[in-house]
Amino acid sequence: ALISPATDRWILVLGPVLFLVYLLFLLFPRRLLHLLPARWFQSRNWLRTAYEGIEVLDRRQLGRIFGLSVLRYGTFSTQYLLLLLAFAGPLEWGIALWGIVLVFFLKSALPLPGIMELGTRELIAVLVFERLGMPIAAVVPATFLLYLINLGLPMLAGIIALQRIGGKGGAR
């Protein structure tokens, strides 16, 4: 792998710290957001919108949202890890999981709808995992198959269901 032990330690520390900040933000949004400078809310509409959205939710709702988010990304990450294992064979789990987190994070930074993700996700995965020393021949098919499993198959099922409904005089 191309990551030094010092970088690996930073990764292991930074990940849980960011997770804790996210958790505290969900549990105590008013307290944490009041620590931010007021001018940030004036110059950053997305921050004001996020704050207003979180403010209307109670802790129970935030807990559910957080739990569902962890379940969703945990499921995707596990699928991705298993696919990488299937295509690459034995690998360093810590490095693989860090790569998965980076791929998901970078993909989220480039919000593209459905089919436009095709190729972009693979390119991001190649750039990330190549830097981490993983075989590209395993990364591309694992990433593409993850896309097919989680977006392609549900899309196909939806198209088939809509055609069946449409064929019986249902809503079009």
Side-chain angles (χ1 to χ4, degrees), residues 2-41:
L2 299 176
I3 293 184
S4 71
T7 304
D8 199 28
R9 280 191 295 279
W10 269 105
I11 290 168
L12 292 175
V13 170
L14 190 59
V17 167
L18 290 175
F19 179 77
L20 183 61
V21 168
Y22 174 70
L23 183 60
L24 289 172
F25 179 75
L26 281 176
L27 293 175
F28 310 105
R30 288 181 187 96
R31 289 183 187 162
L32 290 177
L33 287 173
H34 288 300
L35 297 175
L36 298 176
R39 61 185 158 84
W40 281 20
F41 290 95

Side-chain angles (χ1 to χ4, degrees), residues 156-172:
L156 184 61
I159 289 169
I160 292 169
L162 287 174
Q163 285 180 342
R164 286 186 180 167
I165 291 170
K168 295 180 181 177
R172 293 180 204 257

